[in-house]
Amino acid sequence: MTEMNMLQAINSALDTAMAENERVLCFGEDVGVFGGVFRATSNLQQKYGKARCFNTPLVEQGIIGFANGLAAQGSVPVAEIQFADYIFPAFDQIVNESAKFRYRSGNLFNVGGLTIRAPYGGGIAGGLYHSQSPEAYFAHTPGLKIVVPRNPHQAKGLLLGAIHDPNPTLFFEPKRLYRASVGDVPDEDYRLPLGEAEVIKEGTDITLLGWGAQMEVIQQAVELAEKEGISCEVIDLRTILPWDVETVANSVLKTGRLVVTHEAPLTGGFAGEIAATIQDRCFLYLESPIARVTGMDTPFPLVLEKEHLPNHLKVYEAIRASVEF
């Protein structure tokens, strides 16, 4: 075990994957000698050479189109989109090529080796174009997997799991935790399963569900709630697509209440999909309406970032409202 922040854990995962398999390639904007805008790829070019870790032009559609071609020919590309906000020029390549490659050929060819990394979310005063959470746009696309880690240990294990998974995977990294989240991480290769949520804390009165940076927010809210005797069950979804319906449903069958929180806006956010599915599965067991605590339905603000984000106080108020319903 080595104590690492999330950036170091991601770098360790990339290093581990590249050391084990010479077909693993790492590329994106400024990822070479510079090590990426956040330094997630530091020293990889120096260690593995310019043929395996290299800069691309500033063209996201080209980055993913190039990655699709490499994956189709048997390479294992790990493509970086510098900010998740900039992934939209590559939307067509991801949803119409990456996601459908295997299906359209009856699995005669595929791009299953593809992993796309992108830092997402607010908390760094990034304003309009460096703060968005676009996971729900891609969750509507069969053929992709979507993964979001909450801490360094999860980041390395889930990223290695994504790289080795035989499906194209979007790996969204909560950038406000890059240096803020620190923990012990195994030095060797280990892989956490995709598609499985994790029950972080068991409870009996209410289920709290989130992913990525919101897990820290949930924990702060739980500390307030438990001072009032409210027993909270906490689940990290970890994988948005496919999401672990069974784990969440079983928890809600026990607690009778659910609060889902994410940074993305309310309308069309993935919490709506979760709420619809859980009310279908658990309707007769619900003690109160399923609550969503999310970002506002506005462009991401700069000056009013704190007001926009779903903080621990908003989650705490949702817990109280649900229990007191």
Side-chain angles (χ1 to χ4, degrees), residues 69-93:
L70 283 169
Q73 297 298 318
S75 293
V76 184
V78 183
E80 178 182 301
I81 301 296
Q82 195 170 82
F83 287 88
D85 312 58
Y86 300 157
I87 204 168
F88 300 113
F91 195 79
D92 176 63
Q93 282 293 322

Side-chain angles (χ1 to χ4, degrees), residues 218-294:
I218 288 174
Q219 187 56 48
Q220 294 169 351
V222 166
E223 291 173 4
L224 293 176
E226 297 206 325
K227 290 179 180 177
E228 299 188 11
I230 302 171
S231 175
C232 301
E233 181 142 305
V234 178
I235 301 177
D236 178 7
L237 195 59
R238 300 200 293 188
T239 304
I240 305 296
L241 193 66
W243 71 283
D244 188 350
V245 178
E246 293 301 322
T247 295
V248 179
N250 288 337
S251 175
V252 176
L253 288 173
K254 177 176 67 173
T255 65
R257 301 177 180 90
L258 175 63
V259 173
V260 188
T261 180
H262 57 61
E263 286 188 30
L266 177 71
T267 302
F270 197 68
E273 174 66 25
I274 294 169
T277 301
I278 295 303
Q279 71 84 23
D280 185 52
R281 293 284 296 270
C282 307
F283 183 75
L284 295 177
Y285 293 83
L286 290 174
E287 300 288 347
S288 64
I290 296 171
R292 293 177 289 166
V293 184
T294 70

Side-chain angles (χ1 to χ4, degrees), residues 6 9-10 13 149-160 171 190:
M6 186 176 285
I10 290 166
R150 72 175 185 271
N151 62 30
H153 181 273
Q154 295 286 314
K156 180 175 179 178
L158 288 171
L159 181 52
L160 284 167
F171 193 82
Y190 67 98

Side-chain angles (χ1 to χ4, degrees), residues 5 23 27 65 102 116 157 166 198 203 239 279 286-287 305 323:
N5 62 31
R23 293 181 301 143
F27 52 89
R102 187 194 308 274
I116 302 169
E198 181 181 6
T239 304
Q279 71 84 23
L286 290 174
E287 300 288 347
E305 180 177 54
V323 170

